[in-house]
Amino acid sequence: MRVLGIESSCDETGVALYDTEKGLLSHALFSQIEMHAEYGGVVPELASRDHIRKTLPLIDEVLAQAKLSRDEIDAVAYTAGPGLAGALLVGAAIGRSIAWALDKPALAVNHMEGHLLSPLLEEPAPAFPFISLLVSGGHTLLVDVKAVGEYEVLGESVDDAVGEAFDKTAKLLGMPYPGGPYLAAKAEQGTPDRYEFPRPMTNRPGLDFSFSGLKTFAMNTWLDSEQSEQDKADIALAFQTAVVDTLAIKCKRALKHTGHSRLVVAGGVSANKALREKLDAMPGVEVYYPRQQFCSDNGAMIAFAGAVRQQALTMLERPVFSVRPRWPLNELTPP
Ligand code: KG4
Ligand code: ZN
C-alpha cells in the first residue's frame, strides 16, 4: 500500500510517499521560516496562504521522484491536528479532496503521533514498549508508549515548550527566528560552568516541566552582564545545559517509573547535539531518534503514521472533514 502524507500544521509544508512494503519512496519539504522570520514568529494567515501555494506542487514533486502517477496512490494521510486551524484546513481540504477524487481512503493523522512514530522509519527501529520524549516548538511531552495508539502522557510542560523556550531565549540574546539552532551553535563557544542556571521542577516528584523561568533567568543574567559576544555564548551554554539536564533527569525518572529500557526522542529539539550526547550517555538505556531532517515537521512522519494506521483507513469516502487545533495524544486509540 502506498500512502501519500501531507503535513501543514504550522510553518512547514511537507509531503511524502510511503510504501508499506518498500518503505519511504520520496519526500519533499518547503519551509516558510524565511517568510515568518521578518515578523519574529509564525503569522498564521501567511502560513495558511503559503500552504495553499506549495502543497500541490510538492505532491507532483514526490510523485515524480518516485516515478508514480496519481492513481498509484492507495491512501492519503494528512495532519488533522494539533496545529494552526487555518494551516490544518489547507492540508485537510487537499488531502480529503484528492482521496475523494481517486476514490481512495483518507486518514486524519495526529501530528504528535507523527513525531512519536518517526524514529520507526529508521534502522534499527525501536521495539514497543518505550518512553517517548517529544520536544518541539509547541510541545514538551513524556509519553509511555505501549503500542501504536496506546499512549499515556506521563508529563508535559506547564508553560513554555522546550523549543519555545529556546526560541524566546535566543530572541532576547538578539538571534533570528527560530533561534533554537542559533542558540545551540553559539553555546559551542561558551565557557563551561561560568553561569549556573536552575533545573526547574527536578527537586520535587513528578514528570511535568516548566521552562519559562529559565528564559527569565537568562534575561536577567544577560542584563547584568557586559553583553559581549562571550557573555552571549556563556549564557547560551548555561541555558542549554540546564534544559538538557532537566530533560535527562525527567527521562531517567520516567524510565525508572515504567521499567522500560528504550527511549525514543523526536520533535525539532531532538536535533540538538548536546541533548543527544547527554541522553546517549545514560547507562542501560537504548536511545532512538529520527534522522536529522525528520526531527522537525515533515511529510514522511505523516505518511508513515497513516500507513501504520492503514487498517483503520476504511471509513469516510466523502470529502467531509474537520480539524482539531487541540488534540491530546491521550485520546488516541489503537488502529
Ligand atoms: O517539531 P518542530 O519542527 O515544529 C513544531 O512542531 O513545533 O520544532 C521546531 C522547534 C523550534 O522551536 C526550534 O528552535 C527547535 O525546534 N530546534 C532546536 C534545534 N533545532 C530546532 N532547538 C534546539 N537545538 C536545535 N539544534
Ligand atoms: Zn512538530
Side-chain angles (χ1 to χ4, degrees):
M1 171 184 255
R2 291 186 207 96
V3 182
L4 171 71
I6 304 172
E7 155 62 28
S8 72
S9 67
C10 190
D11 58 351
E12 254 112 23
T13 319
V15 176
L17 280 166
Y18 182 82
D19 186 316
T20 47
E21 311 270 295
K22 297 183 187 148
L24 190 63
L25 300 177
S26 56
H27 59 93
L29 184 88
F30 180 81
S31 170
Q32 305 175 353
I33 280 178
E34 234 171 84
M35 181 176 78
H36 299 294
E38 201 181 316
Y39 303 92
V42 177
V43 183
E45 176 61 20
L46 294 184
S48 311
R49 291 186 207 177
D50 207 60
H51 288 306
I52 293 172
R53 281 191 288 270
K54 297 296 175 352
T55 308
L56 288 173
L58 287 178
I59 292 173
D60 287 340
E61 194 179 320
V62 295
L63 284 168
Q65 269 180 42
K67 298 191 174 57
L68 292 173
S69 62
R70 287 180 188 178
D71 52 16
E72 288 174 287
I73 298 170
D74 299 308
V76 184
Y78 61 91
T79 305
L84 301 171
L88 291 168
L89 279 167
V90 176
I94 294 175
R96 281 280 178 202
S97 306
I98 291 176
W100 185 62
L102 297 174
D103 202 18
K104 295 286 156 63
L107 187 75
V109 171
N110 179 296
H111 180 83
M112 297 313 292
E113 182 175 52
H115 277 305
L116 191 152
L117 296 175
S118 64
L120 275 74
L121 277 165
E122 309 302 336
E123 285 285 337
F128 296 102
F130 52 77
I131 290 293
S132 173
L133 172 70
L134 298 177
V135 276
S136 71
H139 292 87
T140 309
L141 290 173
L142 263 175
V143 190
D144 179 0
V145 180
K146 296 176 186 86
V148 174
E150 287 186 48
Y151 309 130
E152 187 188 344
V153 175
L154 303 174
E156 58 194 314
S157 179
V158 298
D159 42 53
D160 292 350
V162 190
E164 189 181 359
F166 262 97
D167 294 345
K168 287 179 175 172
T169 304
K171 190 174 185 175
L172 68 90
L173 294 174
M175 297 170 189
Y177 173 86
Y182 294 97
L183 189 145
K186 195 78 190 165
E188 291 194 7
Q189 288 130 42
T191 320
D193 303 322
R194 173 162 168 217
Y195 296 114
E196 177 75 5
F197 279 34
R199 274 58 172 158
M201 294 179 75
T202 52
N203 55 5
R204 60 180 113 152
L207 292 164
D208 283 338
F209 304 93
S210 166
F211 291 107
S212 71
L214 275 182
K215 165 197 69 193
T216 314
F217 202 92
M219 184 169 71
N220 292 335
T221 311
W222 175 240
L223 294 176
D224 285 346
S225 75
E226 306 270 309
Q227 303 188 1
S228 67
E229 282 306 304
Q230 192 57 52
D231 292 335
K232 196 182 276 189
D234 295 348
I235 291 170
L237 178 60
F239 169 84
Q240 177 175 268
T241 308
V243 169
V244 164
D245 272 2
T246 304
L247 291 173
I249 290 166
K250 295 285 164 99
C251 285
K252 207 180 285 176
R253 213 176 267 180
L255 289 160
K256 193 169 169 217
H257 171 77
T258 54
H260 299 337
S261 59
R262 284 176 290 267
L263 175 66
V264 167
V265 191
V269 185
S270 67
N272 186 279
K273 234 171 79 193
L275 177 64
R276 289 186 175 214
E277 279 167 14
K278 181 83 186 179
L279 298 177
D280 287 342
M282 287 194 327
V285 183
E286 289 166 40
V287 195
Y288 299 84
Y289 311 88
R291 71 193 78 168
Q292 284 280 337
Q293 68 184 142
F294 293 161
C295 287
S296 49
D297 294 348
N298 63 84
M301 68 184 195
I302 302 304
F304 180 68
V308 167
R309 285 181 169 270
Q310 60 176 305
Q311 294 97 319
L313 295 174
T314 47
M315 37 354 153
L316 289 165
E317 265 79 48
R318 287 181 306 124
V320 173
F321 58 88
S322 61
V323 296
R324 296 189 57 180
R326 287 176 188 278
W327 188 3
L329 268 178
N330 284 349
E331 292 180 12
L332 299 189
T333 53

